[in-house]
């Protein structure tokens, strides 16, 4: 098979790496890819948000399967476009991708199908939203309804902050059109976990539970980012808890989407808070997580491509894969200044190792200039290590990270520490 992966981050590098292991696959393409991916796949400079151009390319190359990394093309309807043109593509349709594309839609779905989540209200009117805030006690979370590149969620411990967040989103348009409508919800507390599952619209096949580290600074301080590191599996997610999450969250979501006439095929990613009242959904994503993918894919003992084809064909229940009994940790190396302004074009040294066995450097924002690998984004590399136990995996990842340098390189020093606390 010829497989096309759409996107160019660490997640897509991990996808390309895993897809290439499938005996079904002869050749992998990636649009647009990055410096690291270009060593493992043929990279073609078409941006992920150009569905028509991607379609033309896939038709010309006779691509047998397309796998979509980011949410933007999914919400734009790339799956509908490819399917209408007779091409196989793994991911939800435009109407199904609303689960991520509209937080209001996701909340209504959860309310309707009794899927545990934070109490909420949706507002289109700034004044009414502020009045609602004035009537609430305790911290609130203000969320832009639409896509906001991971920045549309503001946790507000104080009423004044909630007012400011609403002003920014609804009046000043700081989050684009997606912020004209907002969801205001109860602030939950507990341990966060990312649960990813493949679905064929009826059944789900779960991956190991992973924990992301969204804030820029150690100890979960500072600004939100796309994710600064992750590890899997999470010691605080028992098999019993996974069963409960499947029964109370994933399966009802898939059933609900089918009943709404929006059958959901692809990866369903549930961001979950493990509260004192049990697991509750913080958000859905309609795609693989980044950097979670860099830790969950290396742990799968099975053929990802076969599972994706089964999801497309409605037979995911036939796939039974095993997981390696190891732990995986990924540490993101970011450009200094990220998630605010940062420089690009810094020469990266040491990213080819030598490293210990079972260390893999996934590239994110990198590109080749005159044969040299330079930084080209906020998140630059995602250094993944596998080991039998979490402490060793953490050590191994950081040993590798310390061998890599570029001007302004920044990384968190405490990836996985929350997991250690439960051992
Ligand atoms: P994002 O992935 O950009 O949607 O970020 C959402 C993040 O905001 C989550 O990972 C949580 O840390 C936080 N968050 C979202 N909703 C809530 C909530 N209801 N209570 C507390 N924290 C929340
Ligand atoms: N790691 C968070 C996300 O992919 O949205």
């Amino acid at each position: 098979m010829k497989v096309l992966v759409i996107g160019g981050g660490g997640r897509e590098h991990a996808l390309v790496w895993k897809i290439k292991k499938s005996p079904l696959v002869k050749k992998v393409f990636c649009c647009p890819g990055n410096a690291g991916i270009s060593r493992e796949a043929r990279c073609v400079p078409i941006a992920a948000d150009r569905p028509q151009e991607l379609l033309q390319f896939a038709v010309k190359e006779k691509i047998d399967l397309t796998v979509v990394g980011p949410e933007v093309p999914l919400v734009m309807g790339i799956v509908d476009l490819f399917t209408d043109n007779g091409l196989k593509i793994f991911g939800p349709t435009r109407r199904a991708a609303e689960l991520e594309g509209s937080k209001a839609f996701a909340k209504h779905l959860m309310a309707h199908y009794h899927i545990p989540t934070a109490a909420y209200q949706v507002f289109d009117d700034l004044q009414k939203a502020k009045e609602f805030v004035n009537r609430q006690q305790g911290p609130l979370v203000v969320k832009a309804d639409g896509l906001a590149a991971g920045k549309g969620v503001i946790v507000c411990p104080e009423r004044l902050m909630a007012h400011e967040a609403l002003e920014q989103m609804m009046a000043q348009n700081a989050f684009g059109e997606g912020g004209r409508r907002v969801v205001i919800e109860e602030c939950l507390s507990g341990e966060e976990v990312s649960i990813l599952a493949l679905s064929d619209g009826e059944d789900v096949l779960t991956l190991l539970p992973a924990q992301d580290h969204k804030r820029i600074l150690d100890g979960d301080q500072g600004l939100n980012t796309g994710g600064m590191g992750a590890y899997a599996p999470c010691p605080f997610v028992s098999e019993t808890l996974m069963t409960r999450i499947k029964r109370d969250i994933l399966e009802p979501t898939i059933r609900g989407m089918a009943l709404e006439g929006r059958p959901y095929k692809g990866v369903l990613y549930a961001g979950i808070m493990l509260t004192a009242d049990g697991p509750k959904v913080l958000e859905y994503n309609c795609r693989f997580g980044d950097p979670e993918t860099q830790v969950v894919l290396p742990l799968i003992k099975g053929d990802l491509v076969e599972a994706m084809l089964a999801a497309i064909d409605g037979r995911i229940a036939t796939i039974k894969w095993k997981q390696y009994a190891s732990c995986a940790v990924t540490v993101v190396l970011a450009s200094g200044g990220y998630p605010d302004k940062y420089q690009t074009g810094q020469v990266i040294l040491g990213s080819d190792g030598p490293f210990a066995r079972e260390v893999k450097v996934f590239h994110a924002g990198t590109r080749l200039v005159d044969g040299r690998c330079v930084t080209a984004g906020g998140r630059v590399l995602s250094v993944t290590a596998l080991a039998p136990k979490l402490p060793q995996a953490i050590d191994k990842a950081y040993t590798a990270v310390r061998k890599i340098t570029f001007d302004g390189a920044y990384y968190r020093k405490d990836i996985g520490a929350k997991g250690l606390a439960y051992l």
Side-chain angles (χ1 to χ4, degrees):
M1 290 177 69
K2 283 179 163 184
V3 180
L4 167 64
V5 174
I6 294 176
R11 164 183 56 205
E12 288 76 17
H13 194 175
L15 281 165
V16 165
W17 171 85
K18 181 68 183 165
I19 286 168
K20 279 193 73 176
K21 293 189 186 295
S22 166
L24 298 170
V25 174
K26 194 175 77 193
K27 187 155 189 192
V28 182
F29 297 80
C30 189
C31 294
N34 59 36
I37 296 175
S38 70
R39 296 203 194 132
E40 299 177 42
R42 203 182 119 213
C43 291
V44 180
I46 306 173
D49 60 355
R50 314 284 291 192
Q52 283 292 348
E53 287 165 47
L54 292 164
L55 173 69
Q56 279 170 22
F57 173 76
V59 169
K60 191 182 83 192
E61 286 291 345
K62 300 197 171 62
I63 298 291
D64 299 295
L65 171 67
T66 299
V67 177
V68 188
E71 64 278 14
V72 169
L74 292 167
V75 172
M76 286 171 85
I78 193 168
V79 169
D80 312 65
L81 181 68
F82 273 53
T83 310
D84 290 348
N85 284 275
L87 294 182
K88 258 194 207 273
I89 182 164
F90 177 75
T93 59
R94 183 181 62 79
R95 277 167 49 77
E98 282 234 351
L99 213 45
E100 176 167 0
S102 166
K103 293 199 193 296
F105 169 77
K107 295 298 289 192
H108 292 328
L109 183 100
M110 286 187 266
H112 194 78
Y113 294 98
H114 309 290
I115 297 161
T117 187
Y120 77 104
Q121 293 275 343
V122 178
F123 295 93
D124 294 293
D125 181 280
L126 175 59
Q127 206 46 47
K128 292 208 172 97
K130 283 185 171 176
E131 282 161 21
F132 173 78
V133 167
N134 289 341
R135 293 195 299 273
Q136 303 307 305
Q137 303 293 327
L140 294 170
V141 183
V142 177
K143 303 184 170 186
D145 174 50
L147 293 184
K151 300 193 184 81
V153 175
I154 305 181
V155 179
C156 307
E158 309 284 339
R159 198 170 279 171
L160 196 63
M161 247 185 104
H163 280 214
E164 274 168 22
L166 290 169
E167 286 276 351
Q168 277 184 12
M169 282 186 195
M170 301 181 85
Q172 294 156 23
N173 225 5
F175 299 88
E177 280 308 302
R180 291 209 178 272
R181 169 178 291 175
V182 299
V183 172
I184 303 178
E185 65 180 38
E186 159 201 19
C187 189
L188 302 175
S189 59
E191 207 65 77
E192 272 188 66
V193 59
S194 304
I195 305 293
L196 278 68
L198 272 62
S199 179
D200 59 2
E202 250 177 73
D203 295 301
V204 295
L205 175 66
T206 51
L207 300 171
L208 288 173
Q211 189 169 45
D212 189 8
H213 297 64
K214 287 188 205 269
R215 305 295 196 92
I216 188 71
L217 302 175
D218 287 6
D220 295 331
Q221 303 295 312
L223 294 174
N224 248 322
T225 71
M228 294 301 294
Y231 67 93
C234 299
F236 48 85
V237 183
S238 64
E239 244 171 73
T240 317
L241 181 55
M242 268 307 267
T243 305
R244 180 168 174 196
I245 289 171
K246 216 170 142 181
R247 186 196 63 201
D248 295 350
I249 293 174
L250 301 176
E251 288 169 353
T253 303
I254 296 297
R255 261 201 311 277
M257 290 297 281
L259 287 169
E260 296 296 308
R262 303 171 188 247
Y264 191 99
K265 289 185 179 191
V267 177
L268 177 65
Y269 163 153
I272 290 171
M273 188 82 90
L274 303 175
T275 73
D277 297 331
K280 295 190 180 181
V281 178
L282 294 173
E283 57 161 356
Y284 292 112
N285 292 315
C286 63
R287 51 170 174 82
F288 285 99
D290 188 344
E292 290 93 330
T293 303
Q294 291 90 302
V295 289
V296 293
L297 293 191
L299 294 173
I300 297 172
K301 208 193 254 181
D303 185 344
L304 181 64
V305 174
E306 190 191 3
M308 287 173 166
L309 292 171
I312 294 171
D313 297 341
R315 48 182 177 79
I316 199 79
T318 65
I319 305 289
K320 302 266 182 292
W321 63 31
K322 295 201 172 79
Q323 311 278 351
Y324 290 104
S326 304
C327 293
V329 172
T330 196
V331 177
V332 170
L333 271 143
S335 298
Y338 173 79
D340 284 330
K341 279 208 186 73
Y342 55 83
Q343 286 196 326
T344 57
Q346 308 298 330
V347 175
I348 303 166
L349 298 173
S351 59
D352 291 331
F355 301 117
R357 280 188 58 234
E358 300 200 297
V359 168
K360 173 77 187 170
V361 176
F362 293 116
H363 284 227
T366 66
R367 66 194 171 97
L368 288 172
V369 176
D370 301 330
R372 289 198 303 185
C373 186
V374 305
T375 65
R379 290 190 290 175
V380 177
L381 299 167
S382 185
V383 180
T384 301
L386 265 64
K389 298 270 180 261
L390 184 59
Q392 297 152 286
I394 294 172
D395 282 348
K396 213 160 147 185
Y398 278 107
T399 301
V401 163
R402 285 190 292 268
K403 292 185 176 174
I404 304 172
T405 55
F406 57 86
D407 250 17
Y410 170 80
Y411 57 91
R412 271 181 66 160
K413 312 289 186 293
D414 65 344
I415 303 301
K418 276 191 281 184
L420 290 181
Y422 288 87
L423 295 179

